[in-house]
Amino acid sequence: MVKAYLRYEFSSAFGVITSSANPTYDASGKLLFTSSLESISVWNAKQASLVRQMSPVVASTSAGAGASAAGGAVAEVTVLCCSPSGPTIAAGYSDGTVRLWNYQTGDCSVTFRGHKTAVSCLRYNGGGSLLVSGGRDTDLIVWDVVGETGLYRLRGHKDQVTDVAFLPGQSKLVSCSKDGLVKVWDLDTHHCCQTVGGHKAEVWSLDVNPAGTRLATGATDNEIRVFAIRNPEEAAAALAADAAGGAGAAAGSERDHTVLVPMGSVRRGAASHERVAMLRFSGDGEWLGVQGAGKGLELFRVRDEDEARKKLKRRRKRRKEKATKKAAQKGAAAADGGAAGGSDNEEGEGAGGAEGDDEDTTKASDELEAVQLVSSKGAKIKAFCFTPPAAKLPAGVACRLVLSLSNNCIEVVNISSETHDYDTASRIDLGGHRSDVRALALSADDSSLLTASSAALKLWNPRTGACLATMDSGYGLCVLFAPGNKFAVVGTKEGTLEVFDLGAATRVHVEEGAHGGAVWSLTPLPNKTGFFSGAADKTVKLWQWSVVTLPGGAKSLRLAHVRSVAMADDVLAVRVSPDGRLLAVALLDATVKVYFADSMKFFLSLYGHKLPVLCMDISSDSSMLLTGSSDKNIKVWGLDFGDCHKSLFAHGDAVMSVCWVPGTHYAFTAGKDRLLKYWDLDRFELLLELPGHLGELWCCAVSQFGDFVVTGSHDRSIRRWERTSEPFFVEEERERRLESLFEADLETTAADRDAAAGAAPAAGGGDAAAPAGRRTLEAVGAADAIIEALEAAALELERLRTADKERAEAAEAGRPPPRALPPNALMGGLAPSAYVLKVVAGVRASELEQAVMMLPFADTLRLLGYLPRWLEAGGPAVELTVRLAVLLVRLHQGQLVATAAARPVLLALQRQLRRSAQGLKDVVGFNLAAMGHLGRRAREREGVTEADGVAPAKLQLLGPGAA
């Protein structure tokens, strides 16, 4: 008989404030965004409170986009970029996907798949209509945010793309890479128009000031290089207007492609021994922040034009004074006096004049002034951002920085406008641990969760993820609730036992010298009178709870030592059976000793593990012992005779925690391979693999009714896995795991093949463009759906033609006409053309190009045949039809020209395509003109003119055609 089980699925994750991606604000400065592993946390910047979390694991719009069948594993967020227009934030992930989120509703609107590896940089253009992403696969991809599709892929870098930025006012973008090059790309020709070298090693970051006049780059050396941004089109137009002859025009044409003009460099200060990790201008362009790879962030003030000119004049004056002094010294030292001295003086003045001609332009040192080194105590700065200009700053604050620290907290820093000193305005740190979650425990009623790390003990609500209390502690390795759930005991790495009052959130007692080494395990007695502790000092100790009355009359909990039992080696884990009869002790010599708990008389010795047993648990009926070891195996032992029922290879790394589900012989195991696994140990079968953590798992705990599981990890997250009402079968789950492995291998192979095919032209011809998308399983499924729809439509057309023929024959023979054909139920009663349109319109815009590329040419011809009918119908299908026509003709141009059957279809498209597109364009133009008219009427009623500066802001919302 096939047995069914209930599935466990990922429910929530909490405890991570910030992870690897950069923090960023929205345009108003009211919301702050940080990455929390695979989620995006939205914070109220003023109140430092969490508004919402956006995760593809629980987002219904991305159920098939990255989530595994087991309900958990997705990639980590690597970079964030907020749109300048609209409530949208773009997030790049470590699996190469880019997702666009609406941070007001928490929905994922678009998923782009184009990179093979992690996305390393993202940037919007000024209007928010284009998004460019750079990846570790050396590619740049330009995405159409409005059309929800990829436009093209730019190839030319030989190593990871580290940063990218659009150039305001120009159809260009600039990128930098670990290959040491900075490249300028023309978005009209899709090619690199300038390559800047000169950096000694990897270029890690760049940024363009808001005015679009300066570009700053940071590399592994101690210099910040600055470039003036030049618009070749404007320069060429100015030269053409001012040129008097052909020579001037020729001279101007030689410099047409020069966009970046070097302005020199500025040396970094105390943090110059570290590479630049991030470099950003503030929103008003008055500050430049340069973050090193360590604890320091250097802040530069950008001088305005008048200050830079004064600095240039002072530099000229000093240079002339030096030249004059040098010439005077040469004249005084001359042997013959006046004549030779006059000659030398003239020569020195000439040299000084030539040098002045070379340095009469503004340099980087004239514009940038180092003012402050910002650092954080005890933690490295991973990333930072400036508050936007719209945010209101307190009086006396020149600018505000948000620092994302490596210890899982956010720090807000104010820079004084007078002294340029900095102070910490606020911190967001209560919602997570500063280091790994090493131990956790659930209360007896499952209403509270305790987690311990290297310096703190935190109390949580496991169902909501709310942090209820934070208490300073030692390095906690194990934690235990006292009876009543009002007190807790923590065993520390220092060998102490610390007692905490959870209601008051304070440490009330420290049992110094409880053990001579790290306390690795605590286990309570079933009669609730005390607990056993096992430590690295080779002893197991029994403690009893004792209540003392404090001087104020309040009562508190203390520990009373009852007895100690010496062991042959370090104790790694202790467990008491639920019936209170046996005590199991795991030792460093890879054995497990079983004693009678009341007398500590030896009962059994369990051998079999090749490496030390790190964790163990006893089933609710006290009949089975489950052990997990560093040898990656779990073993099930019978406690009646000490026989090993089964040894199972469980994890790809050490097994760190095992837990029985109360009242059953099901169990959970957690390992360093980042997986939580669910087992049936009566049948010795693996039921579920639950991926999701991005670091090693240290601990897990199961609720009293087995309805949820909580895990703690090296990635500082605490995850909750909930039992659902959905049944599953072991055989189906095993087949699903095998299929997922096969599909992952298939997708990787297809991506590598596409990348090799796309890289072949670039290898011979240098920088080039390629298709933006990547072949995915969703695109393959969309192509199959289109092919099936075309086949179904062809069969339906043949059925209709046969019916028409029979009707005509019956009319000629004078017979009554045959019965009318019933609608095709498989096509939903739609006509063939409407059915194909419905299927094609259901394909995501970001996957349509890849799906069309995978269609055979015969199906491409059939699909082309439907396009004229869709254009005749008009309506919302016009835009999709125009896009499909361009795609199909561009992809199959050679075959279409050589195929005679395609000529009538192309001629029909030629007659209708331009007319339909122009009609759609006219509608959009009419709507823009109407919106502009309504805007002018509104301004007239309010008495506001365009000279007041309000009109441009409103026109920007209407688009470029509204002006």
Side-chain angles (χ1 to χ4, degrees), residues 707-795:
D707 55 339
F708 68 90
V709 188
V710 183
T711 54
S713 169
H714 174 72
D715 60 17
R716 301 189 180 97
S717 72
I718 303 161
R719 294 178 184 262
R720 184 171 177 268
W721 314 82
E722 192 167 352
R723 186 173 62 197
T724 66
S725 57
E726 177 190 354
F728 72 95
F729 300 97
V730 177
E731 292 77 9
E732 293 179 357
E733 194 64 27
R734 188 181 298 117
E735 291 177 2
R736 185 179 299 182
R737 284 196 296 269
L738 293 175
E739 287 176 2
S740 64
L741 292 174
F742 173 74
E743 290 173 354
D745 182 66
L746 176 66
E747 184 174 342
T748 303
T749 304
D752 293 341
R753 183 173 62 250
D754 294 345
D767 304 327
R774 176 166 61 95
R775 183 173 300 179
T776 62
L777 295 175
E778 287 79 9
V780 174
D784 291 341
I786 295 175
I787 293 174
E788 291 175 1
L790 291 171
E791 292 287 348
L795 292 175

Side-chain angles (χ1 to χ4, degrees), residues 848-922:
L848 183 60
E849 181 175 2
Q850 287 294 321
V852 169
M853 289 176 64
M854 287 183 280
L855 293 179
F857 184 68
D859 292 317
T860 300
L861 281 179
R862 287 197 287 183
L863 183 59
L864 269 174
Y866 287 105
L867 299 187
R869 306 180 196 176
W870 298 348
L871 291 175
E872 291 175 0
V878 173
E879 183 179 355
L880 175 63
T881 307
V882 171
R883 185 183 172 197
L884 265 178
V886 173
L887 274 175
L888 294 174
V889 172
R890 177 169 58 85
L891 293 173
H892 303 281
Q893 181 179 4
Q895 289 175 291
L896 289 173
V897 171
T899 304
R903 183 176 178 83
V905 179
L906 294 177
L907 289 176
L909 272 178
Q910 182 185 14
R911 289 190 297 268
Q912 299 183 22
L913 201 61
R914 185 177 297 275
R915 183 173 65 252
S916 300
Q918 185 61 45
L920 189 62
K921 186 177 179 181
D922 292 341

Side-chain angles (χ1 to χ4, degrees), residues 50 55 218 297 320 389 442 514 565 610 656 662 734 754 772:
L50 183 64
S55 172
L297 185 150
K320 289 181 180 179
L442 283 167
V565 180
K610 297 180 177 62
M656 301 305 298
R734 188 181 298 117
D754 294 345

